[in-house]
Amino acid sequence: MKNNKRFYGIRKKLVIFTILAAILPLGIMGVVLAGSINKNVTDLNMENYSHSNSKMIGNYQMMEQGFDELTRNYITNTYIQKSLERRELLPQDQVYVNRSLWYSNNQYTEYGIFIDNKGNEYFANKVISNVKPEDILSEELREALSDNYSLTKIMYSTIDRNGQEDSGIFLVRNIRHMEQNVEPGILIVKLNQDFYDNIFFDINKHAPAIYAMATMEGEICCRTGGEDQEAEISREILLEAKGKLSDDAVEAGEVVHFAADNRICFANTDKNRNLMFLSVVPEAVIWAPARNFLKSMVLTMLISAAVCIVMSAFVSHPFRKAISAISRIMSNFDGESLNQEIQTSTNTELDQVAVSYNKMLKHIGTLMEEVKKEQEEIRINEYNSLVYQINPHFLYNTLDNIHMLARMDGDEIMVRLIQSLSSMLRISISKGENDVSVKNELEHVTCYLNIEQIRNEDLFTYEIKAEESVLQVMIPKIILQPVVENCIKYGFADMEEDGKIQLEVSAEDSFLVMRVRNNGSAMEPEILDKLNQMQYQGMEQIKQTFPQKKGGYGISNVVCRLCLRYGNRFRISYESTEEMGTVCTIMLPVE
């Protein structure tokens, strides 16, 4: 049935893959960026409002330094010093004291009141006699003056001025005579609106935040800002802000922040803890920039996904046609129609696929003829293989017959020789396996040594020791026989008797260690060095180590096979001296 669906096969998969390829990276990137930018933007927003608090207290501290200078001018004033002496002032001197209150004035002063130590009040060019300070001062101001020797105190309070209550920020200070030990006077200076305006100078009053200055007891002195000018800063917020302002935070000048009533509150205070400054911001304002960014990112992801879908559908069209044609022709290929070629024109690797397919068709005909010939050769080889498999059995049977005839003739030497040769052949062939157990390898070496003892009567004796735990370990076959052969062929070349061969096999750490010792002649240093370097060379170099020693130093074959099997995880080393003879140590990793 012909498939006429446009959204089918490779095109469908390509569109789906493109969507996933577009959305997944964007989604992962969006999550990562959203988390990072959300935190960064929020932190920046928090930092901005925290900076506003720092501005407020900075403005306050700059004015505070000027206030100390202002009250110092009152102390040094000649007429105010006279007013503290024991005698009463003359009327004209009292006038100058009044004028002194305004002479030292600055832009933040609304008015000043001075009460000397004789009960006279100086204010607005008026002098009132026999004034009691407690009738003017509030309880807070009296306590501040009683605990303060002669420092300027800034505080929010209410005084009784001419029978009317007057609230605001006041500077209060005890004015003492600089030469005489007399009772001090009292200076009271009220700060004007310029002081409050300067506190909030350079603050964005149009922001939705509320900025305020309050006492540590939780009474608001002044405030500004906020979308809703009637928005309240609750007393609970003020008290919590006081609790957050620890001694360490005050000492470090830090701005603390906390959440309360769905708002974020920022607070700090001066080192004397006279007043605290607050910025109260709705939580929605803090999170708004991050939320706007997330909305923009989601919209960008959706637009990108839509663009990717359209582009993938458009770009995939020529490829879909080419792939469909290739798929149809290759699916209908039955192995006989060798003239049905593929024609594509996509200017991509698909064209190369079509060319390669067409070349393949041309070669198939030739290959089919070659395969027919190869099949005939395989049948011949299989027949020969079956014939060759009979040969080992024929050889074993023949040796068994010779062994039986030798026993019947009583020739024990021949019996031993045939037994050893038969065992050697059996282990060497080992049913085509490349690995044998240590036990079988030792049996193979024993048979070889028995044969050599018969050939070289009285030339040497041998001793083989092996730990019981290593006998079943599997190793490549015919590893020890070439080493033992070298002992006899080269080690005992100058000897006629008393030769000794010792073979020890043991386990050390994770290695199987095989040591072959002989008491024959020592090796030449050049040959000893070549033997010890073979394991670190390439195959061709190993084979060319002893090119003139055909059959001799068959250790080259052993090293090649061990390199192929173990790589660089095995070790083989030779030691040779006249005193100790020669020792060959082979260390194989236990598998």
Side-chain angles (χ1 to χ4, degrees), residues 494-513:
D494 300 327
M495 299 173 60
E496 295 182 358
E497 59 182 7
D498 296 330
K500 292 182 180 180
I501 296 176
Q502 292 179 320
L503 198 158
E504 299 176 356
V505 184
S506 61
E508 296 181 11
D509 296 330
S510 59
F511 286 90
L512 177 71
V513 180

Side-chain angles (χ1 to χ4, degrees), residues 73-88:
N73 291 337
Y74 288 122
I75 296 175
T76 58
N77 184 273
T78 303
Y79 293 99
I80 290 180
Q81 285 289 306
K82 279 185 178 183
S83 70
L84 299 176
E85 295 177 356
R86 292 183 176 83
R87 67 177 186 275
E88 289 286 347

Side-chain angles (χ1 to χ4, degrees), residues 77-349:
N77 184 273
T78 303
Y79 293 99
I80 290 180
Q81 285 289 306
K82 279 185 178 183
S83 70
L84 299 176
E85 295 177 356
R86 292 183 176 83
R87 67 177 186 275
E88 289 286 347
L89 285 179
L90 297 174
Q92 60 271 27
D93 292 334
Q94 292 179 346
V95 172
Y96 283 114
V97 171
N98 279 95
R99 291 179 179 178
S100 299
L101 293 176
W102 303 110
Y103 177 77
S104 300
N105 192 15
N106 68 7
Q107 61 175 329
Y108 303 118
T109 302
E110 182 176 334
Y111 60 80
I113 300 174
F114 174 62
I115 303 174
D116 64 16
N117 53 9
K118 303 177 190 62
N120 298 318
E121 176 190 15
Y122 300 86
F123 173 74
N125 293 323
K126 293 191 298 183
V127 180
I128 303 174
S129 302
N130 299 320
V131 173
K132 294 182 179 180
E134 55 268 23
D135 293 338
I136 298 175
L137 302 177
S138 65
E139 183 177 350
E140 296 89 353
L141 293 177
R142 289 199 302 272
E143 290 178 358
L145 289 168
S146 64
D147 295 336
N148 189 359
Y149 180 77
S150 184
L151 295 177
T152 303
K153 183 76 173 179
I154 303 175
M155 60 188 301
Y156 180 84
S157 188
T158 302
I159 67 171
D160 184 356
R161 185 165 64 86
N162 298 328
Q164 296 181 348
E165 291 186 350
D166 191 6
S167 301
I169 301 293
F170 292 91
L171 309 179
V172 293
R173 183 169 185 171
N174 286 316
I175 306 297
R176 299 185 180 277
H177 199 286
M178 292 186 294
E179 296 179 357
Q180 298 180 13
N181 184 18
V182 294
E183 288 293 320
I186 298 173
L187 175 65
I188 306 170
V189 177
K190 185 183 179 184
L191 302 179
N192 60 16
Q193 186 62 38
D194 288 344
F195 166 76
Y196 301 111
D197 292 341
N198 198 63
I199 291 291
F200 304 118
F201 177 74
D202 201 23
I203 298 297
N204 184 10
K205 299 179 183 179
H206 299 292
I210 301 173
Y211 304 99
M213 180 175 65
T215 66
M216 299 302 289
E217 288 72 28
E219 188 170 359
I220 296 177
C221 306
C222 58
R223 48 161 288 174
T224 188
E227 294 178 349
D228 183 3
Q229 294 296 329
E230 301 301 322
E232 294 293 335
I233 301 178
S234 65
R235 185 169 179 80
E236 288 73 15
I237 291 178
L238 295 171
L239 294 178
E240 186 170 355
K242 178 182 178 181
K244 296 288 184 180
L245 291 169
S246 63
D247 292 338
D248 293 338
V250 173
E251 186 66 27
E254 293 180 359
V255 178
V256 300
H257 64 272
F258 57 93
D261 297 340
N262 296 322
R263 294 186 282 181
I264 305 296
C265 306
F266 301 83
N268 60 346
T269 183
D270 61 306
K271 292 185 178 180
N272 297 324
R273 289 180 176 266
N274 292 327
L275 300 164
M276 60 180 173
F277 302 86
L278 301 100
S279 300
V280 182
V281 192
E283 285 185 347
V285 174
I286 296 291
W287 316 132
R291 289 174 180 169
N292 292 336
F293 171 79
L294 291 177
K295 291 178 182 178
S296 300
M297 178 166 287
V298 171
L299 180 61
T300 302
M301 290 175 59
L302 294 176
I303 294 174
S304 299
V307 171
C308 288
I309 293 172
V310 174
M311 290 185 65
S312 65
F314 176 76
V315 172
S316 66
H317 179 69
F319 303 115
R320 180 187 64 82
K321 290 182 62 178
I323 293 173
S324 297
I326 294 172
S327 175
R328 183 179 63 257
I329 293 174
M330 296 182 72
S331 298
N332 295 331
F333 179 71
D334 56 4
E336 296 180 359
S337 304
L338 301 179
N339 57 352
Q340 192 174 6
E341 296 184 349
I342 300 174
Q343 301 297 330
T344 61
S345 180
T346 62
N347 197 27
T348 64
E349 289 82 355

Side-chain angles (χ1 to χ4, degrees), residues 342 344 350-360:
I342 300 174
T344 61
L350 290 175
D351 296 345
Q352 186 60 43
V353 172
V355 171
S356 299
Y357 177 81
N358 296 336
K359 288 181 180 179
M360 180 186 68

Side-chain angles (χ1 to χ4, degrees), residues 229-494:
Q229 294 296 329
E230 301 301 322
E232 294 293 335
I233 301 178
S234 65
R235 185 169 179 80
E236 288 73 15
I237 291 178
L238 295 171
L239 294 178
E240 186 170 355
K242 178 182 178 181
K244 296 288 184 180
L245 291 169
S246 63
D247 292 338
D248 293 338
V250 173
E251 186 66 27
E254 293 180 359
V255 178
V256 300
H257 64 272
F258 57 93
D261 297 340
N262 296 322
R263 294 186 282 181
I264 305 296
C265 306
F266 301 83
N268 60 346
T269 183
D270 61 306
K271 292 185 178 180
N272 297 324
R273 289 180 176 266
N274 292 327
L275 300 164
M276 60 180 173
F277 302 86
L278 301 100
S279 300
V280 182
V281 192
E283 285 185 347
V285 174
I286 296 291
W287 316 132
R291 289 174 180 169
N292 292 336
F293 171 79
L294 291 177
K295 291 178 182 178
S296 300
M297 178 166 287
V298 171
L299 180 61
T300 302
M301 290 175 59
L302 294 176
I303 294 174
S304 299
V307 171
C308 288
I309 293 172
V310 174
M311 290 185 65
S312 65
F314 176 76
V315 172
S316 66
H317 179 69
F319 303 115
R320 180 187 64 82
K321 290 182 62 178
I323 293 173
S324 297
I326 294 172
S327 175
R328 183 179 63 257
I329 293 174
M330 296 182 72
S331 298
N332 295 331
F333 179 71
D334 56 4
E336 296 180 359
S337 304
L338 301 179
N339 57 352
Q340 192 174 6
E341 296 184 349
I342 300 174
Q343 301 297 330
T344 61
S345 180
T346 62
N347 197 27
T348 64
E349 289 82 355
L350 290 175
D351 296 345
Q352 186 60 43
V353 172
V355 171
S356 299
Y357 177 81
N358 296 336
K359 288 181 180 179
M360 180 186 68
L361 291 179
K362 294 178 182 180
H363 289 294
I364 287 178
T366 305
L367 292 175
M368 289 177 68
E369 292 298 324
E370 293 178 357
V371 167
K372 291 178 181 179
K373 295 179 181 179
E374 289 177 358
Q375 289 296 325
E376 184 66 25
E377 292 177 359
I378 289 173
R379 284 194 293 271
I380 295 172
N381 291 334
E382 287 177 347
Y383 175 78
N384 292 334
S385 177
L386 292 173
V387 173
Y388 296 149
Q389 288 178 11
I390 299 172
N391 292 339
H393 297 288
F394 171 76
L395 181 60
Y396 293 149
N397 292 334
T398 302
L399 287 174
D400 286 341
N401 292 333
I402 296 172
H403 176 262
M404 183 172 61
L405 292 173
R407 288 180 63 89
M408 291 173 63
D409 292 342
D411 191 342
E412 293 300 326
I413 294 178
M414 183 63 69
V415 170
R416 286 178 54 204
L417 188 62
I418 293 172
Q419 283 180 333
S420 298
L421 179 59
S422 179
S423 296
M424 280 190 65
L425 289 173
R426 177 177 54 79
I427 296 172
S428 297
I429 296 174
S430 60
K431 297 181 181 179
E433 298 292 336
N434 293 321
D435 291 354
V436 296
S437 65
V438 171
K439 179 180 179 181
N440 288 341
E441 178 71 6
L442 294 178
E443 183 181 348
H444 181 267
V445 172
T446 302
C447 293
Y448 174 77
L449 289 171
N450 288 337
I451 293 172
E452 289 296 328
Q453 278 186 329
I454 294 172
R455 292 180 59 201
N456 303 280
E457 188 175 0
D458 298 329
L459 175 61
F460 68 91
T461 59
Y462 68 88
E463 180 183 7
I464 298 177
K465 295 181 180 179
E467 294 179 358
E468 186 70 24
S469 60
V470 302
L471 292 178
Q472 299 306 317
V473 174
M474 302 300 290
I475 61 173
K477 64 185 178 183
I478 315 179
I479 296 297
L480 295 174
Q481 184 269 332
V483 179
V484 172
E485 180 181 356
N486 286 344
C487 294
I488 299 171
K489 187 177 293 186
Y490 302 105
F492 301 153
D494 300 327

